[in-house]
Amino acid sequence: MPFESLLPKNWDHESEEAPLYAKWEHSGGFQPQGDGEPFAILLPPPNASEAIHIGNAMYTIQDILIRRARMQGKRAFWIPGTDHAGFETQVVFEKKLEKEGKSRFDFDRQGFYDAVMAYTKDNQSTIIAQLKSMGFSLDWSHLYFTLDPKIVDAVKASFKRLHDDGLIYRGERLVNYCTKHQTAFSDLEVEHTETEGLLWKLRYPLTDGSGEIIVATTRPETLFGDTAVAVHPDDTRYSSIVDKMVKLPLTERTIPIIADQMVDPKFGTGAVKITPAHDLHDFEVASRHDLPSIQVIDLRGKLNDNAPEAYRGLKVKPAREQILADLTAQGFLVGSSTHTSSVATCYKCGTVIEPLPIPQWYLKVRDADPAKNLAELGKEAVASGKITVVPERFQTVFLNWMDGLRDWNLSRQVWWGIPIPAWQCAQCHDWTVTAGDTPPRCNQCGSHELTPDPDVFDTWFSSSQLPYAVLEEFGPEFLETFYPHAVMETGHDILTWWVARMIYLGIYLRGEVPFKAVYLHGMITDRQGKKMSKSKFNVIDPLTITAKYGTDALRMALVVGNSPGQSMAMYEEKIRGFRNFSNKIWNAGRFVLTSLEAYAGPSFSEPSEAGQSAVADQLLTSVTEATTEANRLLDQWKIGQAGEFLYDYFWHTFCDRFLEELKPALQGSDTAAQQALGYSLAQLLKLLHPYVPYVTEALWQHLRQLDPQLSELIMVADWPTT
RNA sequence: GGGCAAUUAGCUCAGUUGGUUAGAGCGCUGCAUUCACAUUGCAGAGGUCACUGGUUCGAACCCAGUAUUGCCCACCA
């Protein structure tokens, strides 16, 4: 059949893409094949309960890496999965409930969990379909979900092991607590925002009647939790009254004046009230001076029974107003001044974080024993080059981060997630940790009165174990073969949340780095360089784009003109340009196909002998050079540059120059020139295939009709080398 | 307060580690249509490479500093 009538003038992505994907998937080529070098990439799991967003479209980089590896004959294994995204999903789900006039408290705990599970599973099929439509060559026969029983078991077993090794402990300290979401957070989940506030000066009279001390505070409502007033040891203004007692306003309680280095004599009045239960500094001062701690704010952000009756049950803000009014009335308020400070807020809802004394499970990141020093183990892996970081500058970011690493709070007061396998004894209050099974008795005193910890793990604790937990889920031979993974490709924004934790947990728990390289891409922004967010109405939905311009166009637009770690603007005109490129490839292919319709020469899979045409010879040389250049860039992780190079080469050298110059040869019977042309096209399609898989595969299928020796799919064709 | 990045054409950005006249896409100007592709081709205009010094035979690139923007980290009550 003549190609001319067979092939439409324009690349028809709409009708071509889905059948091609089905063909790939059914071929089994997405699964690791043969016995080449193992090359695994774990898909950073998208949130199962959300639709795909433009950030997920950046998985294109992984697809490019995996498709090239596959063509290079490696055992390419790209592992798909979805994330239960504990807290994130619970927030979304609760918002949905709120719209229905319900809350999670309308469910019992299991009922709620089941409802979220159903909701999540429901959405999961949507996101899988969306990932497929992006052309991603993921091995769907090995799909994981972060709450798969085996993964859950692995996470609990790790917790037990870390606990037994002394790296997990029950920390009695202040935690970052969001009173709206009713859960604690790690330091990472707290955002600091500059806020203009007031600094009040309060008069605390000395009990011996010899005077008073004026303290400066931004939080007068915590006054009932004060257990001391602190001044700097060298501050001569106060040296004579250190160790004297003062009477706490609005109460009958007396507290001491103490001296501590922490106090900045130049700030405020040089005297600060110490509220160990509600301030991180004060907590430390209290532990140095052995001061008691009195909690006056409860988990809902209201004053509790430790406050005088008049204030109990008031939320922080009204309580503050009431207390200030009373202090003023009784002459304790000396004055106030404006004051800018950075206030800790919940990264999700913006509620001011309340530091509260709640015991939680912590992972100890430093230890005197080098074999247990997680922070140093992680550092060493990167510093020594066992893990390559791309771009390089993030290596410094990583190392600096590890230097400042602090113990990690693993507990979340959330219902959706993996329950922490710990039980508290009603008798001795000690904790018994297992790998999941309910313990028969308390490890400490043998009592049978055990209560399970109601908390769940921080999602990142489980996701940080995915590199091995997922492989183990598939079977021990997978861990054996594919660990460590070839590369972890993700956004630079989660270097600290996720990548760092995967590294040190992988090294400690499995004795080897989880991946050999980390590739960090930048964030996608709108044309003005602003972050995309639903509330700004500047989001680009990847599926709308692919429907309009084709998947290949979006894929090119995402990687070309971008370098790792650098944020990148995305807008429609840019994508349109790459739609034109898809079409250019299509038409170049169409032209070659129609020109060679009657071709009966040697296969296109090998370069021809020296041809009769000088132009054909130049073409072969040129394609060889282009192949070298593309490989050189790709070997240096320069995916964007390689893409741009191939774009430019194909369009302006192959098409504009060689196709034009070879037109005369195609009219005649210069078989050598024709073979050179067919060969060159095949090579270029292969080089382009990881970037624009659909249009290249579509053409390849037609090219095979001229040359049955070509592989069945370009997806598994031999990668061009020189 | 500390750290990291960015600053190159009207716009969005590359620039392969110091080497001729600094590149691309979009936009703009002019020309071309029975030609694989107008989702095209050819030609062209457009840049003091943020600024100031320094190193060098030679700097967009290296060094020191300045400015602006963005991001990350940080417990000043």
Side-chain angles (χ1 to χ4, degrees):
Chain A
M1 194 185 300
F3 283 114
E4 186 131 30
S5 57
L6 200 70
L7 306 180
K9 270 177 79 168
N10 288 328
W11 164 237
D12 179 10
H13 67 267
E14 231 168 323
S15 56
E16 296 259 24
E17 289 184 0
L20 287 170
Y21 193 90
K23 204 174 170 99
W24 290 331
E25 196 179 354
H26 294 147
S27 77
F30 290 170
Q31 292 162 35
Q33 305 283 337
D35 53 5
E37 181 193 332
F39 187 97
I41 300 180
L42 181 82
L43 183 80
N47 185 337
S49 66
E50 285 182 352
I52 197 173
H53 53 79
I54 194 84
N56 302 134
M58 285 302 272
Y59 293 147
T60 297
I61 293 171
Q62 291 167 52
D63 198 32
I64 290 169
L65 293 169
I66 212 87
R67 281 182 184 271
R68 177 169 181 243
R70 187 182 292 121
M71 292 170 77
Q72 286 172 323
K74 296 179 185 171
R75 258 182 287 176
F77 185 25
W78 192 17
I79 310 161
T82 58
D83 188 10
H84 72 284
F87 172 66
E88 300 274 337
T89 299
Q90 177 160 329
V91 168
V92 171
F93 190 77
E94 286 191 286
K95 266 190 195 153
K96 187 170 104 71
L97 286 180
E98 209 176 304
K99 278 185 198 152
E100 298 162 9
K102 290 192 271 184
S103 87
R104 74 166 129 141
F105 299 101
D106 292 323
F107 296 79
D108 65 14
R109 194 140 167 173
Q110 188 61 44
F112 180 82
Y113 188 93
D114 293 344
V116 181
M117 181 65 93
Y119 171 75
T120 302
K121 286 277 176 181
D122 221 38
N123 281 295
Q124 192 179 25
S125 50
T126 310
I127 202 154
I128 288 171
Q130 292 174 332
L131 291 170
K132 289 184 177 182
S133 87
M134 285 295 299
F136 296 151
S137 58
L138 289 151
D139 179 0
W140 296 106
S141 66
H142 290 98
L143 174 66
Y144 72 91
F145 174 54
T146 55
L147 287 183
D148 284 341
K150 284 185 179 171
I151 294 179
V152 170
D153 287 349
V155 169
K156 287 177 175 174
S158 304
F159 178 76
K160 165 118 169 66
R161 184 167 150 206
L162 289 162
H163 179 264
D164 293 350
D165 292 352
L167 288 175
I168 283 189
Y169 63 94
R170 190 76 180 161
E172 309 266 345
R173 64 174 72 159
L174 297 193
V175 296
N176 307 302
Y177 195 88
C178 172
T179 54
K180 176 171 190 292
H181 287 122
Q182 304 262 305
T183 181
F185 288 124
S186 73
D187 296 328
L188 275 178
E189 288 150 305
V190 174
E191 265 173 19
H192 291 88
T193 34
E194 286 280 296
T195 315
E196 180 97 341
L198 288 169
L199 184 67
W200 287 278
K201 295 191 176 76
L202 309 180
R203 173 178 289 136
Y204 283 26
L206 292 166
T207 50
D208 63 6
S210 66
E212 62 189 23
I213 188 163
I214 312 283
V215 301
T217 182
T218 53
R219 302 208 55 190
E221 70 279 9
T222 63
L223 168 152
F224 305 117
D226 290 2
T227 54
V229 170
V231 297
H232 194 273
D234 302 332
D235 194 335
T236 49
R237 290 174 293 178
Y238 301 115
S239 44
S240 64
I241 57 171
V242 168
D243 291 339
K244 285 192 174 185
M245 301 296 281
V246 294
K247 183 175 157 293
L248 200 55
L250 310 180
T251 73
E252 294 307 315
R253 213 145 55 75
T254 61
I255 55 174
I257 296 172
I258 59 166
D260 192 282
Q261 296 284 348
M262 173 275 266
V263 181
D264 177 0
K266 290 190 284 291
F267 186 89
T269 60
V272 53
K273 63 194 215 50
I274 298 298
T275 321
H278 300 291
D279 185 282
L280 293 151
H281 284 287
D282 296 1
F283 181 84
E284 304 213 336
V285 173
S287 59
R288 280 200 287 275
H289 295 265
D290 211 17
L291 296 170
S293 169
I294 301 171
Q295 183 179 348
V296 292
I297 297 168
D298 69 13
L299 300 184
R300 293 197 160 69
K302 293 177 179 170
L303 265 59
N304 67 12
D305 290 353
N306 289 328
E309 209 168 337
Y311 311 101
R312 286 176 200 164
L314 288 179
K315 286 207 157 193
V316 164
K317 261 185 93 177
R320 176 182 299 174
E321 282 161 26
Q322 187 59 46
I323 288 164
L324 284 169
D326 294 345
L327 287 169
T328 308
Q330 297 180 32
F332 289 113
L333 184 66
V334 181
S336 68
S337 52
T338 57
H339 171 67
T340 335
S341 63
S342 91
V343 174
T345 56
C346 170
Y347 80 112
K348 206 49 9 186
C349 67
T351 301
V352 174
I353 290 292
E354 199 61 62
L356 290 176
I358 309 172
Q360 310 264 284
W361 293 107
Y362 287 86
L363 177 68
K364 191 176 170 193
V365 296
R366 277 175 218 291
D367 198 280
D369 178 353
K372 291 184 177 179
N373 194 325
L374 301 182
E376 286 304 316
L377 289 173
K379 254 184 85 172
E380 194 274 332
V382 169
S384 69
K386 275 183 207 140
I387 298 177
T388 310
V389 180
V390 181
E392 219 177 327
R393 67 187 156 85
F394 278 103
Q395 181 172 329
T396 318
V397 175
F398 176 87
L399 295 176
N400 288 343
W401 170 257
M402 295 307 273
D403 276 337
L405 202 62
R406 284 179 300 175
D407 289 357
W408 174 13
N409 173 13
L410 303 176
S411 303
R412 294 293 178 278
Q413 290 69 53
V414 174
W415 291 3
W416 174 238
I418 301 176
I420 298 177
W423 284 260
Q424 187 171 30
C425 176
Q427 296 298 320
C428 69
H429 304 294
D430 205 3
W431 288 85
T432 301
V433 169
T434 76
D437 298 330
T438 306
R441 64 189 72 78
C442 171
N443 272 353
Q444 192 67 24
C445 71
S447 161
H448 296 281
E449 281 182 76
L450 295 172
T451 316
D453 185 343
D455 293 349
V456 303
F457 286 120
D458 178 357
T459 310
W460 295 102
F461 181 66
S462 49
S463 44
S464 297
Q465 301 186 42
L466 291 176
Y468 46 85
V470 166
L471 292 174
E472 282 167 350
E473 180 182 11
F474 301 145
E477 69 278 17
F478 281 87
L479 186 72
E480 181 63 32
T481 308
F482 292 104
Y483 192 89
H485 298 248
V487 54
M488 171 50 60
E489 195 287 323
T490 188
H492 70 74
D493 55 332
I494 53 176
L495 175 66
T496 52
W497 293 62
W498 196 36
V499 179
R501 289 157 170 177
M502 280 192 286
I503 291 174
Y504 64 67
L505 285 177
I507 296 170
Y508 185 74
L509 291 168
R510 290 299 178 277
E512 206 177 345
V513 294
F515 29 75
K516 295 173 200 154
V518 175
Y519 182 106
L520 299 164
H521 63 249
M523 302 294 106
I524 308 280
T525 68
D526 69 6
R527 198 171 187 139
Q528 278 73 40
K530 296 261 176 358
K531 257 187 188 169
M532 287 195 180
S533 77
K534 284 175 199 158
S535 56
K536 283 188 215 146
F537 300 105
N538 62 352
V539 290
I540 291 185
D541 171 23
L543 298 175
T544 312
I545 291 296
T546 53
K548 200 164 166 190
Y549 297 111
T551 301
D552 291 338
L554 176 60
R555 291 171 59 112
M556 279 298 273
L558 284 168
V559 297
V560 171
N562 184 231
S563 54
Q566 214 52 50
S567 64
M568 179 180 51
M570 184 51 57
Y571 45 93
E572 216 166 320
E573 297 94 296
K574 191 168 179 172
I575 299 157
R576 195 181 304 138
F578 289 107
R579 186 270 318 264
N580 296 355
F581 179 57
S582 312
N583 195 54
K584 188 74 185 177
I585 299 173
W586 175 252
N587 272 291
R590 195 163 74 100
F591 173 65
V592 173
L593 288 166
T594 49
S595 307
L596 300 185
E597 213 149 5
Y599 180 77
S603 168
F604 299 143
S605 47
E606 295 295 330
S608 54
E609 302 299 312
Q612 298 138 349
S613 143
V615 180
D617 279 349
Q618 284 167 19
L619 171 60
L620 291 175
T621 308
S622 169
V623 166
T624 303
E625 283 168 7
T627 304
T628 306
E629 177 64 2
N631 277 317
R632 191 182 65 84
L633 291 168
L634 285 168
D635 287 340
Q636 295 174 31
W637 301 97
K638 293 181 177 172
I639 295 168
Q641 275 185 62
E644 188 172 355
F645 169 76
L646 287 168
Y647 171 97
D648 187 64
Y649 180 82
F650 189 88
W651 199 316
H652 299 297
T653 302
F654 181 68
C655 294
D656 290 350
R657 181 175 162 208
F658 287 109
L659 282 190
E660 293 305 322
E661 290 183 8
L662 280 167
K663 274 179 182 172
L666 295 173
Q667 306 302 323
S669 56
D670 186 346
T671 310
Q674 294 175 358
Q675 201 270 349
L677 185 60
Y679 165 77
S680 300
L681 178 67
Q683 291 297 97
L684 294 175
L685 289 180
K686 285 195 269 185
L687 289 169
L688 283 163
H689 178 255
Y691 291 86
V692 284
Y694 286 118
V695 68
T696 50
E697 186 69 80
L699 285 170
W700 186 265
Q701 293 306 314
H702 293 300
L703 201 57
R704 284 189 70 232
Q705 293 177 30
L706 292 180
D707 179 3
Q709 286 187 47
L710 295 177
S711 63
E712 251 181 71
L713 294 167
I714 195 172
M715 184 175 85
V716 293
D718 292 336
W719 181 255
T721 53
T722 48

